[in-house]
Amino acid sequence: MNFNFNVPSKVIFENGCSIAVAEVIHEIQAKRVFIVYDKGIKSAGIADKIIAPVEKAGIKVTHFTGVHPNPSIENVEEGYKVAAVADTDAIIAIGGGSSMDCAKAINILLTNPGSIKDYEGRGKVKNKTKPLIAIPTTAGTGSEVTAFTIITDTERQRKMIIAGENCGADIALVDPALTIGLPPAITAATGMDALTHAIEAFVSKNASIPSNIHALKAMELIVGNLEEAVKNGTNLKARGNMMLGSLLAGIAFNQAGLGLAHAIAHPLGSRFGVAHGVANAIGLPYVVNYNSGLESVKEKHMEIASAMNIDTEKKSVDVISEELVSTIVKLSSAIDIPALRGLGITKEDLENIAVEALKENSMKFTPRNASLEELKELLLSIYNEDPLIEKVY
Ligand SMILES: NC(=O)c1ccc[n+]([C@@H]2O[C@H](COP(=O)([O-])OP(=O)(O)OC[C@H]3O[C@@H](n4cnc5c(N)ncnc54)[C@H](O)[C@@H]3O)[C@@H](O)[C@H]2O)c1
Ligand SMILES: [Zn+2]
């Protein structure tokens, strides 16, 4: 089996490690840092807790607190303007995928000319970026270990993927304790995003043995801990397992790529502002069901089911695929994932979402191709909340 595998970031995983960021800043010999986060991180008290010891250590700090969800080109430019005059040695991102991606994009512009739009695609960011330390506060996008930054082009209503060298963090400080106060709905949505990363990486056309190992362990951790993390947010063990699951899923999809659930989630985010995790959670069981139309995927579903602790003994591959789908449906319902219909999307919007989804990069990796008609039918099933097991595609 051929593969090309690497983890772009050095990872430190420990409860409380984010408080010691000043030491990491010293190690990379930075004297001035640019810190990127959003208002939610500020009001949760996370930013102050991490930044106070940095300032106390005599490191000059410039803040950009204006990150928006699904950050746009304009949002990146706004941050870049502040960073460009700050004369900074390193960048620190504190937050979920939105803050980490916005920081990555600002960092690209600090050493590469032009607009962030010029770098859409893979391998276009040629100049070395400044050291970036990512501190994730959701579990999550895995952006702390992926060489991707995802920025919304509001004009085209599209999520741009900027990937490759100079698009990742150099150091990830993964501190599960930071997620203790993450509200239940965001815990649920971001956890389902991580589960979608793991499942899509595992069935991807580009999967490999190292990505599969990470993806399977991620699924086990996420399915075993997400409901507990949502319902009992102060359970540090569940939070730690979720953070680890999200990290491993990030490592997996960074190499293997994603699939149809993400292809649908991106236009839902860029056109309708649906939170990334919610958009994935809504589509995931329908996509798993659709993919199980391929024999080769059914075989993979057996391994996924075992990782998720579903009893596979003496069961056919068809039954196992069905149980996998119903496990995902039950998990989503236990953690109150909303339905597509309640998110301001009408039946008339579905065709456009299908057209946009087909243009997404992750369609290259999804195991079962979909025509426009098939995708429209799948979206209609999601919209109508059709029961899954009886549905024959
Ligand atoms: N680069 C990648 O590899 C990658 C992968 C997947 C998704 N993404 C992108 O990530 C973005 C979504 O990121 P996200 O799902 O992490 O959400 P987010 O970063 O938008 O955060 C969601 C909300 O949660 C709040 N929040 C975050 N952590 C908190 C905490 N510990 N306590 C209290 N509030 C907290 C934030 O303030 C924000 O209001 C999307 O733009 C998506 O496209 C990127
Ligand atoms: Zn995702």
Side-chain angles (χ1 to χ4, degrees), residues 325-345:
V325 170
S326 63
T327 300
I328 298 167
V329 171
K330 275 188 207 141
L331 177 59
S332 279
S333 125
I335 58 175
D336 292 328
I337 295 292
L340 185 60
R341 231 179 243 252
L343 300 172
I345 292 149

Side-chain angles (χ1 to χ4, degrees), residues 51-307:
I51 297 168
V54 175
E55 288 177 327
K56 214 169 155 204
I59 296 157
K60 183 173 172 278
V61 174
T62 307
H63 305 247
F64 177 62
T65 62
V67 176
H68 297 153
N70 299 311
S72 63
I73 296 175
E74 295 75 19
N75 197 194
V76 170
E77 281 167 357
E78 201 189 326
Y80 167 67
K81 276 190 199 138
V82 186
V85 294
D87 191 18
T88 181
D89 305 320
I91 316 292
I92 300 176
I94 309 173
S98 298
S99 294
M100 290 189 279
D101 285 5
C102 192
K104 287 175 177 180
I106 293 169
N107 197 18
I108 290 170
L109 292 183
L110 283 174
T111 51
N112 291 273
S115 154
I116 196 67
K117 225 171 160 170
D118 303 338
Y119 299 98
E120 183 174 5
R122 178 169 282 278
K124 300 213 175 127
V125 185
K126 301 293 181 204
N127 297 338
K128 180 95 192 81
T129 44
K130 293 181 188 254
L132 195 154
I133 303 169
I135 306 179
T137 64
T138 61
T141 64
S143 180
E144 67 277 12
V145 282
T146 66
F148 303 113
T149 173
I150 301 175
I151 302 300
T152 303
D153 180 341
T154 24
E155 213 170 283
R156 287 184 294 159
Q157 293 191 309
R158 233 182 108 68
K159 284 210 169 188
M160 303 188 300
I161 300 182
I162 300 160
E165 290 275 308
N166 300 310
C167 298
D170 298 273
I171 301 169
L173 290 185
V174 188
D175 177 356
L178 293 179
T179 59
I180 285 289
L182 190 65
I186 306 178
T187 303
T190 50
M192 287 304 289
D193 181 29
L195 181 61
T196 311
H197 293 157
I199 294 176
E200 299 215 289
F202 190 77
V203 301
S204 162
K205 284 180 184 159
N206 204 27
S208 65
I209 289 173
S211 66
N212 284 348
I213 290 168
H214 288 86
L216 286 173
K217 187 68 190 172
M219 292 173 212
E220 178 194 319
L221 288 163
I222 296 164
V223 170
N225 291 277
L226 178 53
E227 191 176 342
E228 173 64 12
V230 170
K231 295 189 171 157
N232 183 10
T234 55
N235 181 336
L236 194 53
K237 187 155 184 265
R239 290 295 195 180
N241 285 334
M242 281 306 300
M243 205 55 146
L244 183 56
S246 153
L247 176 84
L248 298 179
I251 293 172
F253 88 82
N254 182 53
Q255 183 270 324
L258 293 165
L260 181 53
H262 271 79
I264 295 169
H266 282 170
L268 287 175
S270 59
R271 295 186 163 237
F272 302 95
V274 178
H276 180 70
V278 170
N280 274 307
I282 287 169
L284 181 64
Y286 290 86
V287 170
V288 170
N289 188 53
Y290 179 77
N291 285 342
S292 67
L294 279 187
E295 284 306 313
S296 57
V297 176
K298 274 189 209 156
E299 298 292 327
K300 292 188 175 181
H301 282 172
M302 283 182 56
E303 286 179 80
I304 297 181
S306 295

